Amino acid sequence: MRLLVLGGTWYVGHAIVSAAIEAGWEVTTFNRGTSDPFLEQVRAVRGDRNQVDDVRALVAAGTWDAVVDTSGYVPRNTLDVAHALAPVAGRYVFMSTVSVYRDWPIEPLTDESALLDCPPDAGQDYGEDTEDGPTRYGYQKVGCESAALLAFGPDRTTILRPGVVLGPREYVGRLPWWLRRVAAGGRVLAPGSPERAIQPVDVRDLAAFVLRTITDGASGTYNVTAPIGGTTFGDLLAACAEVTGSDASFLWAPDSVLLSHGVRQWSEMPLWRTSPGVWNVDAARARGVGLRCRSIRDTVSDTWAWLVAASSTSNHERATEIGIGGEKESEIISRLA
C-alpha cells in the first residue's frame, strides 16, 4: 500500500506514519520539514501546502493508494490541495473533529448529528468562537470536510471525527499534566466525581483505524472515540497514580466549587468540562468497521514511559495553557478540607 500523509511528524500524523511503516506500507510525507523523526524510513517531500508550486511538485512526485490529511484546517486550502491530489490518489482520508457538530459539547452526538455550516471555499476568517459552543476551528473543519468530498467524491472520501485523543507524544499536555501532577504526590485536586464517564481515544488506536479504513475501502463519516461509559475520570487518575508509583490522594471537588473559584474548564483542570455532551459521543459506526480501543491504563502507562524517556520533551505553545497553579490548587483544597 502506498500512503501519502500530509503533515505526519507531530502527534496524530506521527502515529499514522509509524503504524503504516510497521505494516510494511510505502509512506510519503509532505510537510515543511521543521520536525521530522522518520529520516530514511519514509520518502519525505518538503513543501508548504499553502504554496501552489510546492503542491504541484508533490503531485508530480508520484501516485498513492490513499492520502491522509492531518494538517487541513482552512477549507479553501483543503479544497485546492484535494483537487490537486485527486488524479494521483485513490482515497482521501480527512482528519476532522467532533467540534464540527452544531450541538457539541452541549448535547449527545451520533454520526448523524447536525453539523455547523461552512462552505468548502471559506477562508481562514470564517466562523466565530462562542462560550462553550461552536468555534471557528469547528466551522472551518466542516468546510474542509465539504472540500474533501467535493474533490474526491463520496465513494473515495473517508472523514474521521475524533473526540479527545490521548497517548504518547501528546503535545497539548492534558494527560502529561495529570501524570506529572499525580507523580508529585500529596493531595491532588480532582474535578467533579470519580464516576464521571470519559471516552478519550488512544492516538495509536486512531492510527490503526485510519489504516483499517484504507485497507477496507470504508467511505463515509465516523466518530472516533472510546465507548460511552467504558472509562471514568477516577479510572484515569487511579492509573496515573499506579504507573507513576505515587502516594497521591485525590480530593474530588464538586463542579460548583471549582466554578465558584473560577477554575477554567478544559485548561486549568485538564479534561474536565461540565457540558453533558462532552463525553457522550456515539462511535458505534466506527466500531462496526474495525475501531478497537485499548484500556485507559495502557494509554496512561505508555504516555508516562514516553514522558520519562530522555527525548520526551515538548515545548509546544499549547502546553503552556494547561494546568492549575499550585497556589490556587492549595487554596481550593484548604477550603474543602
Side-chain angles (χ1 to χ4, degrees), residues 37-78:
F38 295 104
L39 301 177
E40 297 178 357
Q41 294 174 287
V42 304
R43 180 187 182 192
V45 178
R46 301 300 184 209
D48 186 332
R49 62 180 297 150
N50 295 292
Q51 300 299 320
V52 173
D53 289 344
D54 290 352
V55 174
R56 287 174 178 165
L58 172 64
V59 171
T63 58
W64 297 275
D65 297 298
V67 52
V68 180
D69 189 349
T70 69
S71 59
Y73 296 99
V74 178
R76 185 181 302 154
N77 173 256
T78 300

Side-chain angles (χ1 to χ4, degrees), residues 94-101 104 109 115 135 137-142 145 159-164 222-223:
F94 184 75
M95 194 62 62
S96 190
T97 169
V98 294
S99 295
V100 298
Y101 290 112
W104 192 89
L109 298 175
L115 303 179
T135 62
Y137 168 69
Y139 278 107
Q140 294 191 21
K141 278 290 192 176
V142 173
E145 290 185 5
I159 294 170
L160 306 183
R161 297 170 179 157
V164 173
Y222 301 91
N223 293 334

Side-chain angles (χ1 to χ4, degrees), residues 4-225:
L4 168 64
V5 179
L6 305 181
T9 58
W10 267 98
Y11 182 36
V12 172
H14 182 280
I16 293 168
V17 173
S18 295
I21 291 171
E22 185 175 348
W25 292 14
E26 297 178 17
V27 182
T28 301
T29 58
F30 177 69
N31 52 61
R32 292 172 296 173
T34 57
S35 173
D36 196 339
F38 295 104
L39 301 177
E40 297 178 357
Q41 294 174 287
V42 304
R43 180 187 182 192
V45 178
R46 301 300 184 209
D48 186 332
R49 62 180 297 150
N50 295 292
Q51 300 299 320
V52 173
D53 289 344
D54 290 352
V55 174
R56 287 174 178 165
L58 172 64
V59 171
T63 58
W64 297 275
D65 297 298
V67 52
V68 180
D69 189 349
T70 69
S71 59
Y73 296 99
V74 178
R76 185 181 302 154
N77 173 256
T78 300
L79 183 63
D80 291 342
V81 172
H83 267 310
L85 290 171
V88 295
R91 174 169 298 279
Y92 200 89
V93 181
F94 184 75
M95 194 62 62
S96 190
T97 169
V98 294
S99 295
V100 298
Y101 290 112
R102 185 184 62 197
D103 293 328
W104 192 89
I106 306 302
E107 300 292 340
L109 298 175
T110 71
D111 295 286
E112 305 302 328
S113 295
L115 303 179
L116 298 168
D117 293 318
C118 181
D121 59 349
Q124 61 183 2
D125 295 326
Y126 190 92
E128 60 181 350
D129 293 325
T130 59
E131 184 70 24
D132 206 27
T135 62
R136 180 174 292 180
Y137 168 69
Y139 278 107
Q140 294 191 21
K141 278 290 192 176
V142 173
C144 291
E145 290 185 5
S146 297
L149 286 164
L150 187 61
F152 272 75
D155 293 337
R156 299 169 59 205
T157 304
T158 307
I159 294 170
L160 306 183
R161 297 170 179 157
V164 173
V165 182
L166 301 180
R169 299 183 64 87
E170 186 214 325
Y171 60 83
V172 177
R174 291 168 293 206
L175 179 53
W177 185 87
W178 277 116
L179 280 162
R180 292 188 178 104
R181 175 61 193 93
V182 172
R187 303 191 76 180
V188 177
L189 186 65
S193 166
E195 301 304 316
R196 172 174 275 145
I198 60 175
Q199 52 178 158
V201 64
D202 190 289
V203 68
R204 296 161 297 180
D205 296 333
L206 172 58
F209 185 61
V210 169
L211 268 60
R212 181 67 178 266
T213 64
I214 294 170
T215 301
D216 294 350
S219 304
T221 58
Y222 301 91
N223 293 334
V224 187
T225 67

